[in-house]
Amino acid sequence: MFTKVHDGGLTVLGGAYELSDLVSWVPRGSTGYQASNCYLLSEGEDHLLIDSGLAVHSEQVLDDIAELIGEGGGVSMFFTRPEMDCVSNLEPIARRFDILRLFTGGVINPFDAFDDVSRMALRGRRQQIDGTRTAEGDALERSMTIEVAPGRILDVQSPLLRLLPTFWGWDEKTGALFTSDTFTHGVMDRPDGYRFIDDTVQDDTTPAQVAAHLFAKYEWLPRATKHPLRDWLVETFDRFDPEAIAPSRGAVIRGRASVRRHLDLMLAALADDAA
């Protein structure tokens, strides 16, 4: 069931999956459940879906979209990564709703798994996101903006912390920073558990837990020089001062106090002696 994140038109959709050693992006021995997230930004009759969730939650995601925008309604889409936990519900969404624009990055074509009719119908609505670089080879932080609606902009960032082409999004109206596959350490003890970390729940998260989830995905990080990542995170969070961290999986971290606490936990996990 979808859950409102902010009254400014931000809703989180998606289901939960049980953690085990079959889930490749969590630490070995993990137990409990984790949310798979996609987000709907809404401004009046205009909507932008950020990621599409796991295929196992397809029916739930599509029914929630229908309740929020109307059956067959129009929606734009933005993929933070060209990986299946972000893109796997594209085809069923395209069959049930009118995809107005599709923002993607990288060289993987999201239409490769489509039949010829669906591929041809949507190809002209795709807009490529490309992270640009300076002459020194450093990625520029701002790649582009996406107009959710007139006067409502999603600022797309090329993060320093990434494997495949990955993009973060910043929505000033709700204060939400969409962090894709970073800050994904929040777990639940049951599949219908509370999918937020905020000031209404006791938060016992430790730097070791944050590091374990981060290094399960970015397995090379323990051997890397990490202070540039810490500096980049501090600068990014100081610039935006987000009210919410919205990852593609795991708990949504909500409220500035919780956001700052989890930034500090991430910075501790990225200490050069962390392993």
Side-chain angles (χ1 to χ4, degrees):
M1 181 65 181
F2 64 81
T3 307
K4 182 184 293 185
V5 179
H6 190 283
D7 288 337
L10 173 57
T11 308
V12 57
L13 304 80
Y17 49 89
E18 187 172 6
L19 299 181
S20 72
D21 289 345
L22 297 176
V23 181
S24 63
W25 53 72
V26 298
R28 292 191 63 81
S30 294
T31 59
Y33 296 83
Q34 192 170 55
S36 171
N37 304 319
C38 49
Y39 301 91
L40 190 70
L41 283 175
S42 299
E43 187 72 29
E45 299 300 313
D46 296 304
H47 308 279
L48 176 71
L49 185 68
I50 300 176
D51 293 331
S52 68
L54 292 170
V56 69
H57 304 135
S58 177
E59 183 176 350
Q60 180 178 355
V61 168
L62 268 64
D63 287 348
D64 286 347
I65 294 173
E67 186 169 345
L68 289 163
I69 75 172
E71 194 68 57
V75 63
S76 297
M77 298 180 69
F78 162 51
F79 291 147
T80 63
R81 281 177 290 118
E83 295 186 77
M84 293 308 292
D85 58 319
C86 295
V87 309
S88 59
N89 284 322
L90 173 58
E91 183 171 14
I93 290 172
R95 293 186 182 279
R96 188 164 169 181
F97 302 96
D98 183 13
I99 297 182
L100 305 175
R101 299 169 297 163
L102 177 64
F103 299 91
T104 69
V107 298
I108 298 175
N109 188 337
F111 306 132
D112 283 346
F114 280 34
D115 61 40
D116 289 339
V117 174
S118 297
R119 186 184 303 119
M120 293 302 297
L122 288 173
R123 188 181 299 277
R125 303 178 191 182
R126 182 189 182 197
Q127 298 187 33
Q128 180 78 12
I129 303 172
D130 289 310
T132 55
R133 294 182 177 274
T134 67
E136 292 76 21
D138 297 324
L140 292 175
E141 291 182 357
R142 178 165 297 177
S143 298
M144 66 176 296
T145 57
I146 296 172
E147 186 180 64
V148 181
R152 179 80 177 274
I153 296 297
L154 182 75
D155 194 355
V156 178
Q157 309 289 321
S158 180
L160 192 59
L161 182 57
R162 64 187 184 276
L163 278 177
L164 297 173
T166 300
F167 300 93
W168 287 16
W170 164 247
D171 178 44
E172 183 177 10
K173 181 172 183 178
T174 61
L177 185 62
F178 301 93
T179 59
S180 196
D181 58 353
T182 309
F183 291 93
T184 60
H185 47 266
V187 299
M188 305 178 294
D189 58 4
R190 63 180 193 274
D192 59 346
Y194 191 59
R195 65 191 302 165
F196 297 93
I197 295 174
D198 56 25
D199 60 8
T200 69
V201 297
Q202 182 175 341
D203 181 12
D204 299 321
T205 309
T206 67
Q209 291 169 338
V210 174
H213 281 266
L214 185 66
F215 298 161
K217 176 64 186 286
Y218 296 94
E219 55 85 23
W220 49 268
L221 263 179
R223 303 181 296 278
T225 301
K226 297 183 279 295
H227 66 82
L229 298 176
R230 295 200 306 272
D231 292 345
W232 176 81
L233 282 169
V234 169
E235 193 278 331
T236 298
F237 276 71
D238 283 349
R239 174 154 45 103
F240 293 132
D241 192 20
E243 297 179 37
I245 299 172
S248 59
R249 54 181 182 269
V252 177
I253 303 167
R254 183 167 59 176
R256 282 197 171 93
S258 294
V259 165
R260 282 289 162 175
R261 166 169 156 73
H262 282 262
L263 171 61
D264 289 342
L265 291 169
M266 182 64 72
L267 295 175
L270 287 169
D272 284 319
D273 58 356

